[in-house]
Amino acid sequence: MSLDSFAGQLAGADPQLQQFLQAETQKQRFQGLVHGLTDQCWDICMEKPSSRLDSKTEHCISNCVDRFIDTSNFVVNRLEKTQQFASTSELDD
């Protein structure tokens, strides 16, 4: 059972417990994002594993992380604007 589904079952529970579950759910999502980012950037940038990162690989990983963050921010901002537009449209109806 995921934390999301468990939190949904406790809708009427103690507010502190709900807050704790929300925080844990956010941590779980963040860890999932970091794991996905690590996998993606590793696959893109690592040509051959070695004991040290060369400057080309280090630069690639840095760019990969930056683009991932930029894309995530873009998607979040777009979703927020879409949600605000939908809320505004509902009020006008």
Side-chain angles (χ1 to χ4, degrees):
M1 176 185 294
S2 73
L3 287 176
D4 285 330
S5 62
F6 186 66
Q9 291 177 355
L10 294 174
D14 177 28
Q16 281 184 316
L17 178 59
Q18 288 179 343
Q19 187 176 16
F20 172 77
L21 289 174
Q22 287 175 342
E24 290 300 310
T25 300
Q26 286 177 335
K27 285 182 197 176
Q28 183 183 32
R29 287 182 182 147
F30 179 74
Q31 288 172 346
L33 284 172
V34 169
H35 181 71
L37 172 64
T38 302
D39 282 347
Q40 180 181 7
C41 292
W42 179 272
D43 291 343
I44 291 171
C45 297
M46 289 302 293
E47 293 176 10
K48 56 182 178 181
S50 65
S51 61
R52 294 184 51 141
L53 289 179
D54 59 15
S55 62
K56 177 183 169 189
T57 304
E58 188 175 345
H59 184 71
C60 179
I61 290 173
S62 177
N63 281 336
C64 181
V65 170
D66 289 344
R67 296 301 71 80
F68 184 87
I69 291 170
D70 290 344
T71 302
S72 296
N73 287 335
F74 175 80
V75 169
V76 168
N77 290 335
R78 179 59 62 102
L79 289 172
E80 286 176 352
K81 287 179 183 178
T82 302
Q83 186 177 16
Q84 288 173 352
F85 179 75
S87 296
T88 304
S89 297
E90 289 175 2
L91 292 175
D92 290 341
D93 291 341

